[in-house]
Amino acid sequence: MPHADQIQQAPPDITVGFSCTAEERDSLLKVRAGAQAIHPELVEAGKVRKLSAYKRFWNLDTKQQFREQLVETLVAEWRTTHGPEKAETARLLFVRLTSELDQRGAVIFGSLIDNEAFRGLVDEYTRINNSLGSQSWIHSYINLGNHLDFLGNPAFSGAFLHPLLVAMVSCQIGGPLRIVDARGKDAEPISVLAQDNMLHIDNTPFNDEYKVILTWERGQASGPKGQNFVIIPGTHQGLRNCFVNEQGEAWSTENASVFTSDQKIEQAFDIQSKVFGHPSAAVVEIKHENKPLTTVFASGSLVHHRYRTEGGRPRSCLTVCFRGVDNPGQFVDTKHLGDIVEDHALNRFLFGFHDKNSGADFIAAFADRADEIFEKLKDLSLQWNGAEIVDQRTRELSGPELETWKALCTRAPTVETLKARENLFKVDECLALPQFMDLIEKLMIFDKHGPLDLILYEDSHEEIRKWARNQIREMKFDSLKKRLATWSHLVYQPAREDALAPLALKVLAEEVAGYALRSMQGDEKAVLGESEKISARDAYRSLWQLLLDLGEAILRCETNQDFLSTSLFIFWAVDTLDILQQHAHKAVQAAGVKLLANYIATTILVEMQRNAK
């Protein structure tokens, strides 16, 4: 029989609360939230504080020359293969499509590939999502950058990566392109005002960015009939105004890109009215009873969102994001490119490395694909195999539909509201440690989808943080549960003193960021998931940038939920770094203990205040 001091004692129960007067509670929360709100300011070019920060206005003559050379190259190939008359017909249709994209900010296609090929896409996408999708309460996310065999599959990639689509975007940007992101998302019917689906412009105000989004009814080779993609045509011709710091550098934040009130939405309609030359409130809901829809749109400037409602059917979508090569780089590490670029010059440019000097070679790559573009233009002209150019005006919301849409855009329940409805705990209730950890998991499931307002820099150097951010926001529940369990032996009775001040959190984030930087500079190995295609260096750089920017954001949280979500992200960023570094640094782990305790204590303070109200 073991000696008494050898018997492992059960961890003590935890009281979900602590001693704190109402005045102390409100004082603590006041310094954590209540920062001056940042709102979108959608204006014409002449009213922007620093026009030179916006890449769409750079090198306009050079961009026009590129457009002309690209069209001339395609037409020359078409003349050789199909004769001058058919070449001119194809040219006119191509110009019509690029003109619509230029004037309205989007072009919608139905059934770009035939039904049998699309069925293959659905089956393969479903297989990947079922296996590796995030499966959260708000959506199921897949990083398709880890699935190059899917992105480059010639049997169905024409639905989202057809050379016609790439040529249209290249003409708009006025130069060679590269892919910077590719993702999939499944969405069930739900009404929620979350960062993922707010009416917005993508968080890249200074870049010229376009996306291709493919939408369909989940599991079916048919059109989307719920949770549909929505655009406000013409708004891409406005600009989100920026701020300018004392050094003359332009900057913005993510909150300056979301439109969540009637007044903010009116900004979009005001720009639209100026573009169209008459009072306008045109909102296009992209749906189709039968056909999967491929939409090319100006994601970095067009007001848009995924219209989440409690009605309709579940929807699947995938998006591929394109930018010019003003900032050289590549989407996929060279060692992973493999067959996707073999004997395929255009894919080599889209997935691999190239820079602003690659314009002539990029155009030459289209010569090899000119006949594919010609055939697809012919399909669209004759509507063969169901292919069509969808008239946006037939998808505009009517008066009552428009009012319903506007109400959901501005008054749908927030993540904070949905979390509160669950009544997950009562202040001062007593829980055994396992039950307490279960509670923290449930709170985190909501809070990791709460609002963040990260800074956006003129030179876009924040872009690298996207990988680390998605590692947290799109963490699967079973992964969150497993990772949080590794901290359970370090969880103790919450206390008021655990709630760290914003500046203390910023300092912690910066200290841990220093460990990520040293790992990056030392080319240290990283423990990455089996499917990850990111290099160790870029993974460390992503975490370094995210931690720095979370530290900046924690100082200017507008609401309690902003502060909770930002605090939580700092904790999970530290945990992610600890995993990458194989738990090599005690200082990183010590920071994690403080950050987890801070999140728990702040959650209790917020609940205390909510109960008082």
Side-chain angles (χ1 to χ4, degrees), residues 138 192-202 230 254-255 257-260 264 303-308 405 408-410 413-415 449-452 562:
I138 195 168
V192 59
L193 199 61
Q195 199 156 17
D196 173 72
N197 64 288
M198 291 176 180
L199 187 66
H200 70 285
I201 305 171
D202 279 16
V230 164
E254 297 180 3
N255 277 358
S257 301
V258 295
F259 301 78
T260 53
K264 294 172 185 177
V303 181
H304 64 277
H305 76 135
R306 296 168 183 86
Y307 183 20
R308 302 298 297 274
W405 166 82
L408 283 172
C409 284
T410 57
T414 63
V415 170
H449 287 288
L452 296 180
D562 294 347

Side-chain angles (χ1 to χ4, degrees), residues 571-613:
F571 165 72
W572 280 118
V574 169
D575 177 74
T576 303
L577 178 62
D578 191 41
I579 292 171
L580 260 60
Q581 295 176 327
Q582 295 183 284
H583 317 291
H585 301 289
K586 291 183 178 179
V588 172
Q589 295 149 26
V593 173
K594 292 179 182 178
L595 290 163
L596 181 56
N598 166 75
Y599 170 75
I600 292 169
T602 308
T603 296
I604 292 170
L605 286 170
V606 170
E607 186 66 12
M608 285 178 172
Q609 189 177 74
R610 188 177 76 88
N611 289 346
K613 292 179 179 179

Side-chain angles (χ1 to χ4, degrees), residues 88-325:
E88 178 62 11
T89 300
R91 185 192 71 84
L92 290 173
L93 182 52
F94 183 77
V95 169
R96 173 191 152 192
L97 292 173
T98 55
S99 295
E100 182 173 345
L101 187 54
D102 184 53
Q103 293 165 13
R104 296 183 65 87
V107 176
I108 308 166
F109 298 102
S111 295
L112 265 190
I113 60 175
D114 64 48
N115 192 68
E116 182 179 354
F118 199 85
R119 182 70 256 176
L121 181 152
V122 171
D123 290 344
E124 183 62 12
Y125 176 91
T126 301
R127 182 190 67 78
I128 295 171
N129 187 41
N130 287 346
S131 173
L132 296 170
S134 62
Q135 312 293 343
S136 77
W137 62 273
I138 195 168
H139 58 236
S140 184
Y141 162 92
I142 313 167
N143 178 6
L144 291 174
N146 292 331
H147 301 278
L148 301 182
D149 51 345
F150 178 89
L151 290 177
N153 191 322
F156 52 66
S157 62
F160 53 87
L161 209 55
H162 196 282
L164 170 61
L165 306 174
V166 180
M168 289 171 61
V169 173
S170 191
C171 270
Q172 283 306 110
I173 288 179
L177 308 173
R178 63 186 178 93
I179 296 172
V180 297
D181 189 41
R183 61 181 61 186
K185 282 184 180 176
D186 276 11
E188 298 276 353
I190 188 175
S191 177
V192 59
L193 199 61
Q195 199 156 17
D196 173 72
N197 64 288
M198 291 176 180
L199 187 66
H200 70 285
I201 305 171
D202 279 16
N203 294 323
T204 176
F206 307 115
N207 281 303
D208 207 3
E209 176 187 281
Y210 282 74
K211 282 182 178 176
V212 171
I213 181 168
L214 175 65
T215 52
W216 69 96
E217 182 183 352
R218 191 182 68 189
Q220 305 297 321
S222 64
K225 306 174 187 67
Q227 323 312 309
N228 297 317
F229 187 55
V230 164
I231 62 172
I232 304 183
T235 50
H236 68 301
Q237 298 195 36
L239 290 169
R240 283 164 288 174
N241 213 344
C242 61
F243 305 98
V244 181
N245 64 21
E246 293 179 355
Q247 291 74 41
E249 299 163 333
W251 63 279
S252 186
T253 80
E254 297 180 3
N255 277 358
S257 301
V258 295
F259 301 78
T260 53
S261 69
D262 291 331
Q263 294 81 3
K264 294 172 185 177
I265 293 174
E266 283 305 314
Q267 289 187 37
F269 290 147
D270 287 345
I271 288 291
Q272 185 184 70
S273 296
K274 291 171 182 175
V275 169
F276 292 163
H278 56 79
S280 180
V283 176
V284 175
E285 183 179 5
I286 299 172
K287 59 183 179 179
H288 201 288
E289 188 65 27
N290 302 311
K291 298 179 181 181
L293 298 175
T294 301
T295 304
V296 190
F297 71 105
S299 53
S301 51
L302 186 75
V303 181
H304 64 277
H305 76 135
R306 296 168 183 86
Y307 183 20
R308 302 298 297 274
T309 69
E310 294 177 350
R313 299 182 187 175
R315 180 267 301 147
S316 293
C317 80
L318 69 84
T319 57
V320 181
C321 179
F322 301 92
R323 289 194 195 150
V325 290

Side-chain angles (χ1 to χ4, degrees), residues 19 49 88 150 157 203 225 241 276 437 443 447 473 480 512 525 527 533 543:
S19 177
R49 295 184 184 96
E88 178 62 11
F150 178 89
S157 62
N203 294 323
K225 306 174 187 67
N241 213 344
F276 292 163
M437 296 306 294
L443 291 163
D447 289 338
R473 190 182 295 281
L480 184 149
V512 177
K525 293 182 179 179
V527 177
K533 299 295 189 293
L543 277 164

Side-chain angles (χ1 to χ4, degrees), residues 104 284-285 287 388 390-397:
R104 296 183 65 87
V284 175
E285 183 179 5
K287 59 183 179 179
E388 69 168 313
V390 178
D391 185 348
Q392 294 181 32
R393 291 167 297 185
T394 65
R395 300 298 190 272
E396 289 184 5
L397 299 179

Side-chain angles (χ1 to χ4, degrees), residues 475-544:
M475 194 190 318
K476 296 180 75 167
F477 175 72
D478 58 351
S479 179
L480 184 149
K481 186 178 184 69
K482 182 178 179 180
R483 288 168 61 174
L484 186 62
T486 65
W487 296 90
S488 62
H489 68 290
L490 299 170
V491 170
Y492 50 82
Q493 173 59 46
R496 184 185 60 188
E497 293 73 23
D498 295 332
L500 301 177
L503 186 58
L505 288 166
K506 180 179 189 292
V507 169
L508 262 182
E510 290 175 346
E511 287 177 355
V512 177
Y515 284 89
L517 179 61
R518 286 191 284 277
S519 291
M520 179 187 77
Q521 292 174 334
D523 288 324
E524 295 178 9
K525 293 182 179 179
V527 177
L528 294 164
E530 291 182 2
S531 64
E532 290 291 346
K533 299 295 189 293
I534 193 170
S535 67
R537 181 179 178 82
D538 280 349
Y540 284 125
R541 188 159 69 98
S542 184
L543 277 164
W544 170 64

